[in-house]
């Protein structure tokens, strides 16, 4: 706590700090809410996980480029209340930078968005709004000046994720495969059966028929802020905003919002892909992206809905085999439980592809 106050005080905050408490449930960074006294805004303090985001300067440059671009657009469109519609990062007092390096740890602070809510689950109506909002987010970034760097190179490259899984298997660093009684091998076999099919996006990219665009790349349902009436205020958690396929944003939202259960629920037999959420979200997304979405991107949205549970399963499973070095875990089997859950979601989404395709074609 004292460390946190000392860190927060290095930033050019308004008001005096009253308290600092943990916030949210991200798997990568550590997040805190900084409450101030009186009318000054509250803030969000984050310790950036620099084992994962190795180039914090590039990361923050991306985020500042994105948030100031969006802010300018909203201003030009006559929007008000901008601090609730786009994140604002606070500079460090002595350096003017939006990040602080102290004792080997990286920190940043943004304005806390008041009277806003995040959700772990959404109904079809909110999904439609979210689809439109993520689509419009991509549309706003279509003309961002300059180039954004890849904060995590090849982040959503399925071919890379398959290679990383194979490397994890070959090393078996935690001895988990050696101790396997059959389940792990069965998961690996199932992943192998679908791996090539799921790497379709990379092939289309090499063939020149699929573009990369600036995407959010972590469109989990809880990364969107809503006001009390269900209107979308803004998109948060901008660490992974970078060039990617639109499948990233479409697929990752559905991975979290269309699952009947949370991504780490052990009851994987009750995991299913919710078509009502898919239908509502895709309606919103196609409306929000009508200025740029190509027929190839559009036709492959059902593939994207399968790709993201699959990719997440491969990532969780590789981390399990590596001995849990990437994602925060709460108990030893956590990454395996997450893998089972995401594989079940993948199977359910895959079975729904014909229905998804018919729906997209009808829009
Ligand atoms: C991580 O930090 P968080 O929870 O927003 C991860 C995402 C995964 C997600 C799974 C940089 O996001 O890619 O989809 O966990 N972020 C990174 O819950 O790896
Ligand atoms: Mg998050």
């Amino acid at each position: 706590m004292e460390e946190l106050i000392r860190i927060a005080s290095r930033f050019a905050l308004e008001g005096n700090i009253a308290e600092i408490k943990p916030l949210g449930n991200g798997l990568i960074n550590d997040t805190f809410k900084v409450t101030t006294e009186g009318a000054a805004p509250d803030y969000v303090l984050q310790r950036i996980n620099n084992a994962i985001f190795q180039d914090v300067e590039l990361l923050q440059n991306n985020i500042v480029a994105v948030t100031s671009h969006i802010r300018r657009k909203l201003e030009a469109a006559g929007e008000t209340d901008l601090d609730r519609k786009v994140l604002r990062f606070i500079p460090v007092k002595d350096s003017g930078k939006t990040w602080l390096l102290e004792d080997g740890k990286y920190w940043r602070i943004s304005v806390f968005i008041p009277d806003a809510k995040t959700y772990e689950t959404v109904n079809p109506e909110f999904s439609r709004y979210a689809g439109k909002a993520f689509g419009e987010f991509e549309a706003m970034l279509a003309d961002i000046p300059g180039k954004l760097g890849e904060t995590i190179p090849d982040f959503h490259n399925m071919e890379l994720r398959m290679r990383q899984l194979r490397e994890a298997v070959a090393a078996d660093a935690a001895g988990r495969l050696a101790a396997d009684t059959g389940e792990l091998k069965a998961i690996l076999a199932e992943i192998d059966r679908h791996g090539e099919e799921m790497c379709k996006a990379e092939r289309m990219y090499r063939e020149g028929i699929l573009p990369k665009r600036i995407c959010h790349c972590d469109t989990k349902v809880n990364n969107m802020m809503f006001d009390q009436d269900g209107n979308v205020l803004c998109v948060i958690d901008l660490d992974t905003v970078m060039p990617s396929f639109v499948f990233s944003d479409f697929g990752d939202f559905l991975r979290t919002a269309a699952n009947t259960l949370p991504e780490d629920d052990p009851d994987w037999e009750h995991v299913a892909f919710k078509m009502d959420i898919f239908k509502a979200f895709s309606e919103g997304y196609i409306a929000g992206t009508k200025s740029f979405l190509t027929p190839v991107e559009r036709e492959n949205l059902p593939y994207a809905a399968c790709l993201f549970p699959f990719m997440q399963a491969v990532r969780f499973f590789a981390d399990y085999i590596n001995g849990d070095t990437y994602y925060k875990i709460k108990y030893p089997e956590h990454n395996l439980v997450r893998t089972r859950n995401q594989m079940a979601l993948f199977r359910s989404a895959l079975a729904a592809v014909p229905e998804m395709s018919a729906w997209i074609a009808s829009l």
Side-chain angles (χ1 to χ4, degrees):
M1 180 67 182
E2 253 169 48
E3 183 196 13
L4 296 177
I5 293 184
R6 188 166 49 75
I7 296 293
S9 309
R10 299 278 302 276
F11 289 80
L13 306 184
E14 291 169 50
N16 296 319
I17 298 170
E19 66 167 358
I20 304 189
K21 283 202 299 206
L23 179 70
N25 51 6
L27 298 187
I28 308 289
N29 297 319
D30 298 326
T31 309
F32 306 89
K33 179 172 179 192
V34 180
T35 308
T36 59
E37 291 165 357
D42 294 334
Y43 297 93
V44 175
L45 168 68
Q46 277 193 312
R47 175 171 172 203
I48 305 169
N49 181 333
N50 63 305
I52 290 176
F53 298 107
Q54 298 191 356
D55 189 341
V56 172
E57 179 144 26
L58 176 144
L59 170 75
Q60 284 303 109
N61 285 345
N62 272 1
I63 291 185
V64 169
V66 165
T67 49
S68 42
H69 186 70
I70 294 179
R71 189 170 279 268
R72 273 194 301 274
K73 290 216 160 167
L74 295 176
E75 241 159 20
E79 295 264 359
T80 54
D81 203 10
L82 292 184
D83 273 353
R84 291 175 79 213
K85 295 183 183 154
V86 59
L87 292 180
R88 179 158 66 88
F89 286 83
I90 305 298
V92 176
K93 282 178 197 158
D94 51 14
S95 72
K97 293 188 168 145
T98 60
W99 50 274
L100 173 71
L101 172 60
E102 182 85 351
D103 303 329
K105 298 178 187 169
Y106 287 87
W107 303 88
R108 68 176 166 215
I109 290 193
S110 58
V111 174
F112 179 85
I113 300 180
D115 303 318
K117 288 186 171 177
T118 58
Y119 296 93
E120 299 299 324
T121 56
V122 277
N123 61 21
E125 189 191 356
F126 277 33
S127 300
R128 189 173 300 107
Y129 301 152
K132 196 152 177 284
F134 279 127
E136 286 170 355
F137 179 82
E138 292 174 349
M140 279 196 282
L141 294 178
D143 60 348
I144 191 165
K147 266 187 102 178
L148 296 190
E150 291 199 20
T151 36
I152 300 178
D154 286 317
F155 186 50
H156 281 165
N157 181 330
M158 193 60 233
E159 290 175 347
L160 171 79
R161 298 304 181 182
M162 290 298 287
R163 275 201 301 282
Q164 287 175 331
L165 176 61
R166 278 188 212 107
E167 284 161 18
V169 167
D172 192 21
R176 283 175 159 164
L177 282 169
D180 176 34
T181 53
E183 185 191 5
L184 305 190
K185 280 180 204 74
I187 295 175
L188 275 174
E190 187 176 1
I191 289 174
D192 272 334
R193 276 202 301 283
H194 297 282
E196 203 182 308
E197 178 193 353
M198 288 298 120
C199 289
K200 178 180 175 187
E202 270 68 45
R203 287 194 296 276
M204 291 193 292
Y205 179 66
R206 280 194 293 273
E207 287 164 20
I209 57 172
L210 179 68
K212 283 197 185 181
R213 308 181 187 280
I214 305 298
C215 298
H216 181 279
C217 294
D218 191 12
T219 50
K220 296 209 286 203
V221 46
N222 61 12
N223 279 337
M224 180 152 275
M225 309 285 284
F226 294 86
D227 73 9
Q228 309 295 338
D229 307 321
N231 302 309
V232 174
L233 285 167
C234 73
V235 173
I236 58 170
D237 204 349
L238 303 175
D239 293 324
T240 51
V241 175
M242 62 178 130
S244 189
F245 308 126
V246 291
F247 306 155
S248 292
D249 291 354
F250 187 84
D252 219 20
F253 179 85
L254 290 169
R255 183 183 73 75
T256 47
N259 192 342
T260 46
L261 294 174
E263 69 179 11
D264 65 346
D265 196 301
D267 188 16
W268 61 268
E269 283 165 317
H270 288 102
V271 164
F273 185 79
K274 294 198 263 188
M275 275 308 285
D276 57 341
I277 299 291
F278 173 86
K279 287 183 176 172
F281 180 73
S282 50
E283 229 176 327
Y285 184 78
I286 283 179
T289 55
K290 59 176 180 295
S291 60
F292 65 85
L293 201 71
T294 67
V296 170
E297 289 174 314
R298 184 183 157 117
E299 278 157 27
N300 280 289
L301 293 177
Y303 154 71
C306 301
L307 173 61
F308 274 79
F310 183 80
M311 188 186 303
Q312 196 63 61
V314 169
R315 293 176 64 196
F316 283 146
F317 195 46
D319 197 36
Y320 179 70
I321 294 175
N322 284 331
D324 313 309
T325 59
Y326 189 95
Y327 294 106
K328 290 182 192 167
I329 54 163
K330 296 203 171 113
Y331 53 92
E333 304 291 282
H334 206 160
N335 274 316
L336 180 59
V337 164
R338 290 167 171 151
T339 306
R340 290 183 191 124
N341 178 305
Q342 296 295 293
M343 284 307 285
L345 183 64
F346 166 67
R347 274 176 228 127
S348 176
L350 200 59
V353 165
E355 197 185 342
M356 289 194 244
S357 298
W359 174 256
I360 298 281
S362 78
L363 293 177

